[in-house]
Amino acid sequence: MQVTAMDIYRLLPQTNCEDCEEAACGEASCMAFATKLSEKEAQLELCTELSPEGLNKLESLLAPAVREITIGTGDKTITIGGDEVLYRYELTYYNPTSLVIDIADNLDDDEFTERVKTIEETEFERIGEMLTLDAVALRNASGNSDKFAEAASKLKKAKLPLVLCSFDPEAMKAALEKVGDERPLIYGVTEGNLEEMSALALEYSCPVTIFSPNDLEKMKQISRTLRERGIEDIVLDPGTYVEDGIGDSLDNFVMIRRLAVEEQDEDFRFPILGIPALTWLYEKDEIQGGIREATIAATLMNKYADMLIFHGTNIWELIPVLTLRQGIYTDPRKPQAVDAGLYEFGEVDKDSPVLMTTNFALTFYTVEGDIKGKTNAYLLVLDTEGRAVDVSLAGGQLNAEAVADLIKETGIEEKVDTRKLIIPGLAAPVSGEIEDESGWEVLVGPRDSSAVPGFIDELKEKA
Ligand code: SF4
């Protein structure tokens, strides 16, 4: 159940800090602060007027339905979990799904180094954001404790946090002796190794994963036991079934998240982990395996996976997953916008053409991708509160007066001799009004920005 601003307000002092010169929380009223807290845009500690009892009550009220777990230390840290709702439109999702790439401890030195380098260097830019991988999962493929520990030592130099994967407590202990101070995620605890693994988690203060394939009753028992022993940082793996479709996995993921959010079941209020990498147990063909692994990852990410362990590192396999993650974890309450103003592309001069678009991030970066390196031009970016051309036209943010103001405010008239403005094809209905308001001649450009360089070439030929 989502906590409302009113639920929070009832526990705040409700004085609005009327006797203070300035409210410590920085808000005009307790209600305004409550609203910010409900949207996770403020820290509870900012209110200095709370009694210890009030603070305790609010801390427990504000604890997310899914516990936030931190893996790693310092610069090598990721946080997973923290979600409050089942459906993103109810609020937003927090902490994007961590994409973790596996590495076997029995690779030779060169292969090992090369794979770590690939994991660290994989990146892909989209809508102005650099999309990267998040962690390395070391598998005890050798079955040998010493090899596992040796490989863990090598990963000390890696730039990403670690997941240590072994069901053998002896191997886990050997690896933790090398990298336990880096707070790796221990994978995994089962009914069979519960005693030893929970002791290691406590000794090294590391988060642990419960592996309980297709058995949520057993998962609940293990979770309860771990919590009773004082282990609170838990990740849940109900099994990733890849051989005959992933229906069972999906059912378990959804059940766990419903238990956490709707029932507030303390044993299930933890992040969920899936392992699309298991695809490769059944699929040997690189193309088919890559497609299948990416599809499974996308399916599980859509249904609450907070961490996914991957094997494939082909960029064509990772791009759809990284892109999907970016979409799912974009805050639906905030339009994605770039700064309005004047942008320059290539070597511009007094004769360069002047284009216009809106500050919706997807529009801006699409236009940027279509003109950068292909033509020299100025680009005026209008503040439409992050709305696309057709939407802002309908909503009134894209209007003649705003465009005329933009021309004046950016000083473009001092930079060019031309008085011709190329507007997006979709903005054609206001072309005449922009001309009247700005005094510039308006040319209606293409509806699709990929045609802009060709459009500019044609203008030059005609000139
Ligand atoms: S600091 Fe606390 S009491 Fe003062 S206005 Fe903010 S929330 Fe209210």
Side-chain angles (χ1 to χ4, degrees):
M1 196 176 58
Q2 196 184 333
V3 175
T4 65
M6 189 49 79
D7 297 331
I8 298 167
Y9 176 73
R10 285 194 195 100
L11 296 172
L12 285 172
Q14 300 178 21
T15 60
N16 299 330
C17 274
E18 274 158 0
D19 297 332
C20 317
E21 221 166 80
E22 198 180 337
C25 67
E27 300 300 323
S29 66
C30 296
M31 191 63 207
F33 186 55
T35 304
K36 286 235 161 150
L37 284 173
S38 72
E39 292 176 356
K40 289 200 177 191
E41 287 177 354
Q43 300 298 319
L44 181 56
E45 295 69 37
L46 287 176
C47 175
T48 50
E49 306 298 307
L50 282 166
S51 65
E53 191 197 357
L55 182 65
N56 278 344
K57 281 188 182 166
L58 274 165
E59 273 177 347
S60 93
L61 181 73
L62 291 171
V66 179
R67 185 177 170 83
E68 276 192 342
I69 309 283
T70 300
I71 299 158
T73 53
D75 293 346
K76 293 166 63 169
T77 302
I78 50 171
T79 303
I80 56 173
D83 281 329
E84 302 274 11
V85 292
L86 285 175
Y87 304 105
R88 192 185 72 142
Y89 62 77
E90 295 175 297
L91 182 65
T92 186
Y93 287 157
Y94 297 98
N95 298 318
T97 306
S98 283
L99 292 182
V100 184
I101 304 292
D102 80 328
I103 185 163
D105 66 354
N106 56 1
L107 295 180
D108 68 36
D109 271 358
D110 289 348
E111 287 173 321
F112 194 91
T113 307
E114 191 55 36
R115 189 160 172 84
V116 173
K117 190 164 174 270
T118 301
I119 299 167
E120 288 176 340
E121 292 181 358
T122 295
E123 60 180 25
F124 162 64
E125 189 182 352
R126 183 173 180 267
I127 323 180
E129 189 186 344
M130 199 57 86
L131 309 180
T132 56
L133 301 170
D134 302 290
V136 180
L138 179 64
R139 280 192 297 120
N140 186 204
S142 66
N144 179 295
S145 300
D146 293 339
K147 267 198 168 300
F148 193 48
E150 191 189 324
S153 291
K154 286 191 227 165
L155 288 172
K156 251 189 162 335
K157 286 185 248 140
K159 294 180 193 145
L160 298 171
L162 295 180
V163 181
L164 295 176
C165 304
S166 175
F167 294 119
D168 175 4
E170 200 184 305
M172 189 59 70
K173 184 173 171 47
L176 285 170
E177 278 168 6
K178 305 289 184 191
V179 292
D181 59 336
E182 294 194 1
R183 200 177 149 76
L185 173 63
I186 294 176
Y187 181 102
V189 180
T190 63
E191 198 179 26
N193 66 20
L194 176 60
E195 293 301 321
E196 299 96 321
M197 287 293 196
S198 59
L200 288 171
L202 284 169
E203 183 182 347
Y204 288 94
S205 298
C206 289
V208 292
T209 311
I210 299 172
F211 176 55
S212 178
N214 216 10
D215 190 341
L216 296 193
E217 201 44 55
K218 193 174 286 171
M219 179 174 271
K220 184 174 176 64
Q221 288 164 13
I222 299 174
S223 175
R224 174 79 50 91
T225 307
L226 290 175
R227 293 196 307 110
E228 284 169 357
R229 291 179 184 182
I231 297 170
E232 289 295 340
D233 288 344
I234 297 170
V235 178
L236 307 174
D237 176 9
T240 304
Y241 296 94
V242 297
E243 193 177 5
D244 304 312
I246 54 164
D248 285 344
S249 302
L250 220 43
D251 286 347
N252 287 326
F253 275 47
V254 173
M255 262 189 279
I256 289 173
R257 193 47 48 91
R258 281 193 177 282
L259 286 165
V261 175
E262 293 180 340
E263 307 295 328
Q264 300 276 302
D265 186 324
E266 296 296 334
D267 298 318
F268 289 104
R269 291 178 65 178
F270 299 107
I272 309 173
L273 179 146
I275 311 186
L278 293 170
T279 300
W280 300 94
L281 291 178
Y282 308 98
E283 187 65 74
K284 301 299 170 208
D285 181 78
E286 190 180 356
I287 305 294
Q288 291 307 319
I291 292 170
R292 199 166 159 193
E293 184 176 32
T295 308
I296 289 166
T299 309
L300 296 180
M301 197 190 295
N302 270 312
K303 283 297 171 195
Y304 315 125
D306 297 286
M307 175 178 272
L308 291 168
I309 299 182
F310 241 70
H311 178 71
T313 53
N314 285 311
I315 194 69
W316 56 260
E317 178 185 352
L318 294 169
I319 281 178
V321 181
L322 289 164
T323 302
L324 176 70
R325 177 177 72 174
Q326 188 186 33
I328 292 174
Y329 286 89
T330 298
D331 190 338
R333 301 166 301 173
K334 295 180 190 151
Q336 301 301 301
V338 298
D339 290 338
L342 178 63
Y343 292 76
E344 296 176 5
F345 292 94
E347 291 176 13
V348 286
D349 57 30
K350 290 258 175 197
D351 298 318
S352 296
V354 183
L355 301 156
M356 192 216 85
T357 191
T358 75
N359 75 330
F360 174 44
L362 194 54
T363 301
F364 174 83
Y365 287 111
T366 304
V367 174
E368 181 193 53
D370 285 333
I371 63 175
K372 200 171 180 180
K374 295 172 194 154
T375 191
N376 301 324
Y378 285 104
L379 178 65
L380 288 170
V381 176
L382 182 68
D383 181 2
T384 55
E385 297 165 17
R387 291 177 174 84
V389 175
D390 48 352
V391 180
S392 57
L393 194 61
Q397 294 83 12
L398 197 175
N399 62 64
E401 203 180 347
V403 176
D405 287 347
L406 181 67
I407 288 171
K408 290 276 173 279
E409 286 161 12
T410 53
I412 184 68
E413 290 181 321
E414 282 82 62
K415 290 181 181 278
V416 291
D417 292 335
T418 178
R419 290 295 181 265
K420 289 181 184 170
L421 178 67
I422 303 168
I423 64 169
L426 287 170
V430 286
S431 60
E433 292 165 35
I434 296 174
E435 283 196 336
D436 293 346
E437 198 68 40
S438 66
W440 281 45
E441 181 186 345
V442 171
L443 307 176
V444 177
R447 291 166 74 98
D448 182 339
S449 61
S450 64
V452 166
F455 183 84
I456 289 174
D457 287 346
E458 275 178 34
L459 285 180
K460 280 187 199 153
E461 280 167 26
K462 283 182 199 160

